[in-house]
Amino acid sequence: MKVVIVGGVAGGATAAARIRRLDEKAEILIFERSGYISYANCGLPYYIGRVIPRREDLTLQTPRSFYDRFRIRVKVRHEVTALHPEEKMVTVKNLETGEEFRESYDKLLLAPGAKPLKPPFEGSDLEQVFTLRTVEDTFKIHDYIQSHHPKSAVLAGGGFIGLEMAENLRELGMEVTIVQRGSQLMPPFDQDMAAYIQAEMRRHGVNLALDRSVEGLRPKEGGVEVLLKDAPSLYGDMVILAMGVTPDSKLAREAGLALGMKDSILVNDRMETSQPDIYAVGDAVQVKHFVTGEDALIALAGPANRQARIAGDNICGGDSRYTGSQGSSILKVFDLTAAATGLNQRAASRLYDTERVILSPMNHAGYYPGGRNMTLKVVFDRESHKVLGAQIVGYDGVDKRIDVIATAIRAGMKIQDLAELDLAYAPPYSSAKDPVNMAGFIGENLIQGIVKQWGLEALPALMDNPGVTLVDTRTPGEYAGGHIPGFVNIPVDELRQRLGEIPEGKPVYLICQSGLRSYLASRILSGLGWEVYNFAGGYGYYETVTRERCLVEQSFPCGMKKE
């Protein structure tokens, strides 16, 4: 059996290695148009920022090492320019010599990946304008910085690449501005959780131009003038376009293979295309979202590697199936870690009647030194109670919790099932009630009606409503440091002695720093006959989200009164 693979990064290299492990006699040939194979896409920004010091650390394999270990032939700087399914042939161009030739196959695997979006506005081909997708792109940016010593950069796009590049360029001492078309960074996150990411960016001196669109680029004073729609232009010594990616499906389209959303390559759950003996994997293919079952494009390394393994199995006569992607991801944002899995609430609300729990526990036992708060938002279906997605921002331990919840989603668990998880505990790592368990406890309380909650979206109406009582259950010192106007301060430990200050017959809306003390207060008042609502998130959440909303839109009632 002869297998030809188009593309030698995550999907192509992984599939090739899997095929070899299953079939020692197969002839396997990879064509890769760049000069490198099996490189660490996700590490590229960190080489530019000198976190990864050596170029060779970016490449996990070389054509020689791949051949020595697997007896797989790799042809770099060779671009497949056409597919001929009826003949089982591909046309290949040697990019160094210009020579063209045809190569036959028994099985063909397409792993072309995705290409950066490069809008057709003026100036995108300027010397100071870059995209980042390949090792060559990385070296080009790195060498430009080394030779020209730019002092400022404008990044068009606030996704993974934009944020990682912003951090690394800022660490090099450059002034950095991110231009984002939408009103928030990182669209996989809900706006409230993205507020933490934006606050961390601002804290480290990154300028954010949200709700702004780049319309063109012009040379100016050795750098680039960035033209914005309905806003003053910006200047940068260099510009990086990180506006997302699109499936690189040109070969498939020209060969008549069936295409899906945004011209992605259509595959079944065996990673087979519409043409016999042609498979496709990675960022170029359309998949099913694991949670919804809907068609999706999810350009992440983990799914690409799993798809490649499945394709390799099936090329070798197996029957492996890809059950879908759920978009689990994690991002370093200076000192902060932000992670997500499944659906955010915005996306989930299109298909489900959703509820969410928001909590801000410490990453480990409070009595053990060095603990820091993280904020979890877990979204679940109000009817079935199934966990639909989660987002976490914080410091140590974020990765552990998001992986636990990602596993829970894969297992079809309900929000209350999180309370039953038997998770590892020692004071340096967690609490006896892990944050994931706590999310389950809160969800269970909501489902059983033990607690009713209110969210930030209700605040404008509450502040103008004389028919409700607003109570902050923190200490006087915390209250004096900042509170929501209209909320009176009755510390939870004084509540039973000060019940006369709370009018009967009016609903009571409570808040504290993290949600715990106001929960305790809600149980006291509920037990005595009041209708009570506890704030989802706590004052720390309110403060971060509200401050960021005020910076972005200047329209949300955002007073944080200090005495």
Side-chain angles (χ1 to χ4, degrees), residues 6-57:
V6 180
V9 192
T14 297
R18 178 64 172 172
I19 293 166
R20 172 56 72 227
R21 291 194 295 271
L22 296 176
D23 187 344
E24 182 62 25
K25 295 180 180 180
E27 180 185 355
I28 308 170
L29 176 59
I30 298 175
F31 292 112
E32 167 57 43
R33 63 188 163 200
S34 76
Y36 301 87
I37 66 157
S38 192
Y39 56 82
N41 265 86
C42 301
L44 300 181
Y46 298 99
Y47 173 72
I48 294 169
R50 302 175 189 163
V51 177
I52 298 173
R54 301 185 308 162
R55 293 189 174 201
E56 53 267 32
D57 290 336

Side-chain angles (χ1 to χ4, degrees), residues 227-277:
L227 306 176
L228 304 181
K229 182 179 180 180
D230 300 327
S233 61
L234 301 171
Y235 172 84
D237 292 331
M238 63 184 297
V239 170
I240 295 177
L241 302 178
M243 304 168 82
V245 295
T246 186
D248 192 352
S249 58
K250 181 174 181 286
L251 285 174
R253 182 175 64 253
E254 292 178 349
L257 274 64
L259 301 181
M261 58 194 307
K262 296 185 179 179
D263 279 350
S264 56
I265 303 172
L266 198 62
V267 294
N268 61 18
D269 59 358
R270 288 171 46 85
M271 310 314 297
E272 296 169 322
T273 71
S274 60
Q275 287 282 354
D277 297 321

Side-chain angles (χ1 to χ4, degrees), residues 353-367:
D353 179 14
T354 63
E355 182 60 278
R356 84 293 197 200
V357 298
I358 303 171
L359 61 157
S360 299
M362 294 188 73
N363 64 300
H364 61 57
Y367 60 83

Side-chain angles (χ1 to χ4, degrees), residues 139-422:
F139 294 162
K140 186 177 178 182
I141 296 171
H142 178 273
D143 293 346
Y144 184 86
I145 292 172
Q146 294 300 306
S147 60
H148 291 78
H149 307 289
K151 297 292 190 296
S152 62
V154 176
L155 308 180
F160 288 99
I161 292 295
L163 268 62
E164 289 170 349
M165 281 302 305
E167 176 180 348
N168 281 279
L169 295 179
R170 190 77 187 116
E171 296 289 1
L172 292 177
M174 297 173 64
E175 181 180 343
V176 177
T177 300
I178 297 176
V179 181
Q180 171 71 349
R181 178 175 297 177
S183 61
Q184 67 171 82
L185 301 179
M186 290 301 293
F189 289 76
D190 285 316
Q191 200 165 46
D192 55 352
M193 300 300 282
Y196 288 87
I197 299 172
Q198 291 160 200
E200 184 74 359
M201 282 283 169
R202 296 185 198 274
R203 189 170 75 86
H204 284 85
V206 176
N207 305 307
L208 303 182
L210 303 179
D211 270 336
R212 295 289 183 264
S213 297
V214 177
E215 290 199 319
L217 307 169
R218 290 197 298 230
K220 180 180 179 181
E221 300 172 1
V224 182
E225 182 181 15
V226 181
L227 306 176
L228 304 181
K229 182 179 180 180
D230 300 327
S233 61
L234 301 171
Y235 172 84
D237 292 331
M238 63 184 297
V239 170
I240 295 177
L241 302 178
M243 304 168 82
V245 295
T246 186
D248 192 352
S249 58
K250 181 174 181 286
L251 285 174
R253 182 175 64 253
E254 292 178 349
L257 274 64
L259 301 181
M261 58 194 307
K262 296 185 179 179
D263 279 350
S264 56
I265 303 172
L266 198 62
V267 294
N268 61 18
D269 59 358
R270 288 171 46 85
M271 310 314 297
E272 296 169 322
T273 71
S274 60
Q275 287 282 354
D277 297 321
I278 301 181
Y279 297 75
V281 301
D283 296 354
V285 306
Q286 175 180 293
V287 297
K288 296 292 184 184
H289 196 289
F290 178 79
V291 177
T292 67
E294 292 187 323
D295 295 333
L297 296 178
I298 298 179
L300 294 169
N305 276 274
R306 290 194 296 279
Q307 293 159 19
R309 179 183 175 90
I310 287 165
D313 287 350
N314 294 327
I315 285 171
C316 293
D319 187 24
S320 293
R321 307 280 172 158
Y322 187 65
T323 57
S325 302
Q326 64 191 68
S328 300
S329 60
I330 193 164
L331 176 70
K332 178 182 179 295
V333 187
F334 292 99
D335 300 327
L336 193 75
T337 299
T341 186
L343 301 175
N344 60 34
Q345 190 172 17
R346 182 179 64 253
S349 295
R350 292 189 300 106
L351 301 169
Y352 304 92
D353 179 14
T354 63
E355 182 60 278
R356 84 293 197 200
V357 298
I358 303 171
L359 61 157
S360 299
M362 294 188 73
N363 64 300
H364 61 57
Y367 60 83
Y368 188 87
R372 302 182 75 176
N373 285 96
M374 64 176 67
T375 298
L376 291 81
K377 181 176 186 177
V378 184
V379 180
F380 63 97
D381 178 27
R382 217 185 284 265
E383 181 178 347
S384 69
H385 306 152
K386 276 192 175 182
V387 179
L388 303 175
Q391 300 150 65
I392 309 177
V393 291
Y395 302 92
D396 293 340
V398 169
D399 53 344
K400 167 185 172 178
R401 276 70 185 209
I402 203 68
D403 284 343
V404 169
I405 298 175
T407 304
I409 292 173
R410 184 63 56 160
M413 294 176 69
K414 300 178 179 180
I415 183 70
Q416 60 266 44
D417 294 332
L418 301 182
E420 302 301 321
L421 293 177
D422 193 348

